[in-house]
């Protein structure tokens, strides 16, 4: 399995975010990617290549991208500004004007305080998206590579078309899905197994029926992102029926998770996508510092087996999963499970 990585992620090293009213160290740190990189050392490691900005611009608002790339300089010029953009004011549901001042724009384009923007954040986010685009290009253009893994950091699935959030800035899996469509695929499916709802991905494709979005995640009634991820969010207009959410109770373990996964896999096969993209979060781990679900390393292997058993051309895009002593093992287990079933079916 080809693995796409770039060391450019290191230019995004957020210091802190706000949790329960406290400024605390940010868990989305460069060390995560280095642990994941070590875990895939038996695979072919490739540096991601530049696939241009077309797919990124197709799924993101141009003013938001401009803010992402130039906002930090404006912020830094403020008297008393913190070393990272962390907004302290947001538009409420009755406000929609985009102001000129950087403090107002920060609150408009950053949905929460868990997406601090530093000097290198924009470049790292683009490089991360290029890893996903490189993996998608490999799967689309090669008959030998039925699967590829993008070691994306920062993650992407909480990023909306015009809004960062939850450690995410550019929606890597959405850009990769769009690239697949741009290169001849007519239908793609995105299965999000991160412990958090893939709200940004849902938002980007909510009105479309060429991308089926499915997410299994901790119940947002009690867990981030709180305001989206409910089972009754099924799409709108042309997209009606092309979004599926499966909220799971706190503490859900392997067997209940695998049971919840089955109907989602059936929905994918009914949709008959040309390509499957997996938003591969590993923070459903029982040992993840952001724990909500209780998936074991054996559970991640079993999830990989089930997804590999679909035998679809597949792009695996790294999402969350934070530093614990099993983070690397969980990635290895997922990939081994994926390969074992995809190979046994196609052999
Ligand atoms: Zn997550």
């Amino acid at each position: 399995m080809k693995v796409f990585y770039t060391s450019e992620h290191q230019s995004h090293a957020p210091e802190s975010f706000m949790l329960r009213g406290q400024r605390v160290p940010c868990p989305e740190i460069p060390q995560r990617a280095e642990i994941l990189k070590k875990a895939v050392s038996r695979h072919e490691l490739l540096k991601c290549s530049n696939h241009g900005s077309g797919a990124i611009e197709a799924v993101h608002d141009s003013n938001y991208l401009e803010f992402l790339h130039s906002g930090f300089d404006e912020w830094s010029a403020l008297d008393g500004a913190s070393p990272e953009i962390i907004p302290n004011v947001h538009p409420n549901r009755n406000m929609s004007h985009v102001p000129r001042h950087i403090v107002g724009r920060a609150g408009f384009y950053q949905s929460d305080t868990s997406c601090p923007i530093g000097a290198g954040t924009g470049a790292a986010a683009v490089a991360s998206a290029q890893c996903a685009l490189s993996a998608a290009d490999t799967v689309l253009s090669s008959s030998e590579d039925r699967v590829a893994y993008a070691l994306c950091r920062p993650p992407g699935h909480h990023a909306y078309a015009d809004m960062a959030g939850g450690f995410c800035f550019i929606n890597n899996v959405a850009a990769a899905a769009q690239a697949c469509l741009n290169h001849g695929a007519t239908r793609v499916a995105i299965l999000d197994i991160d412990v958090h709802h893939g709200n940004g991905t849902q938002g980007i494709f909510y009105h479309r029926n060429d991308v089926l979005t499915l997410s299994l995640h901790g119940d947002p009634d009690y867990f981030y992102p709180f305001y989206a991820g409910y089972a009754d969010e099924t799409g709108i207009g042309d997209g009606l029926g092309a979004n599926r959410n499966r909220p799971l109770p706190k503490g859900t373990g392997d067997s209940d998770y695998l049971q919840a996964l089955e109907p989602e896999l059936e929905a994918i096969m009914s949709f008959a996508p040309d390509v499957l993209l997996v938003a591969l979060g590993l923070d459903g781990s029982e040992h993840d510092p952001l724990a909500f679900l209780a998936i074991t390393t054996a559970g991640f292997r079993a999830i990989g087996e089930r997804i590999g058993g679909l035998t679809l051309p597949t792009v695996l895009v790294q999402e969350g999963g934070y530093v614990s002593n099993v983070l690397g093992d969980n990635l290895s287990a997922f990939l081994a499970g994926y390969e074992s079933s995809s190979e046994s079916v196609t052999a």
Side-chain angles (χ1 to χ4, degrees):
M1 185 184 306
K2 286 179 178 154
V3 169
F4 291 91
Y5 166 85
T6 171
S7 60
E8 290 177 58
H9 76 87
Q10 292 166 356
S11 67
H12 172 62
E15 291 176 14
S16 60
F17 78 117
M18 300 295 290
L19 181 68
R20 297 177 185 173
Q22 306 273 6
R23 192 173 182 125
V24 299
C26 186
E28 206 295 285
I29 51 175
Q31 187 190 359
R32 292 182 57 237
E34 301 311 318
I35 291 171
L36 297 169
K37 183 183 168 199
K38 198 170 167 196
V40 294
S41 56
R42 73 182 182 85
H43 296 276
E44 184 182 355
L45 188 71
L46 299 164
K47 187 177 188 313
C48 69
S49 50
N50 187 351
H51 291 266
S53 57
I56 295 169
E57 289 168 359
V59 297
H60 284 289
D61 173 82
S62 58
N63 291 323
Y64 166 68
L65 291 174
E66 197 274 331
F67 162 78
L68 184 60
H69 292 300
S70 67
F72 179 77
D73 289 341
E74 272 185 75
W75 178 269
S76 301
L78 295 174
D79 280 342
S82 62
E84 300 170 324
I85 310 178
I86 300 180
N88 54 274
V89 59
H90 296 274
N92 70 32
R93 65 186 63 76
N94 301 307
M95 302 170 163
S96 59
H97 198 89
V98 188
R100 290 176 196 270
H101 196 279
I102 186 61
V103 169
R105 284 164 63 221
F108 190 85
Y109 291 124
Q110 292 172 269
S111 69
D112 53 44
T113 61
S114 55
C115 46
I117 293 175
T121 299
V126 169
S128 183
Q130 293 297 342
C131 286
L133 295 175
S134 297
D137 183 65
T138 294
V139 170
L140 284 173
S141 58
S142 162
S143 54
E144 285 173 21
D145 296 295
R146 297 272 295 172
V147 60
Y149 167 67
L151 205 174
C152 293
R153 180 187 173 269
H157 72 148
H158 295 308
Y160 285 80
D162 64 353
M163 205 159 53
F167 312 140
C168 299
F169 305 92
I170 289 178
N171 196 313
N172 306 312
V173 76
Q178 186 62 51
C180 291
L181 294 166
N182 293 352
H183 287 87
T186 54
R187 298 152 77 84
V188 301
I190 301 175
L191 173 64
D192 191 320
I193 62 167
D194 189 280
V195 74
H196 303 99
H197 174 236
N199 54 325
T201 314
Q202 170 177 305
I204 287 170
F205 296 117
Y206 206 56
H207 60 291
R208 288 170 55 171
N209 59 13
D210 53 350
V211 182
L212 173 68
T213 46
L214 315 94
S215 181
L216 293 94
H217 46 263
D219 186 348
D221 246 342
Y222 303 96
F223 197 51
Y224 186 90
F226 294 110
Y227 308 109
Y230 295 85
D232 62 357
E233 297 161 13
T234 56
I236 195 164
D238 288 346
L240 192 60
N243 187 75
R244 294 171 62 99
N245 285 326
R246 182 61 68 113
L248 300 168
K250 188 172 171 63
T252 295
D254 296 346
S255 105
D256 287 342
Y257 190 95
L258 290 166
Q259 208 175 333
L261 181 62
E262 279 313 312
E264 305 313 310
L265 301 183
E266 285 168 20
I268 291 169
M269 295 316 282
S270 300
F271 185 72
D274 300 306
V275 185
L276 171 66
L277 298 102
V278 180
L280 177 53
L282 298 167
D283 43 8
S285 165
E286 60 182 339
H287 297 302
D288 194 273
L290 309 185
F292 189 88
L293 303 182
I295 299 170
T296 67
T297 299
F300 279 107
R301 183 182 169 97
I303 295 165
E305 280 174 12
R306 299 293 199 285
I307 296 172
L310 300 179
T311 69
L312 290 167
T314 303
V315 182
L316 305 171
V317 178
Q318 184 65 47
E319 297 287 356
Y322 301 91
V323 175
S324 75
N325 57 11
V326 294
L327 175 60
D329 292 344
N330 288 342
L331 177 60
S332 306
F334 177 92
L335 297 181
Y338 182 96
E339 288 191 314
S340 72
S341 67
S342 63
E343 281 162 12
S344 67
V345 175
T346 54

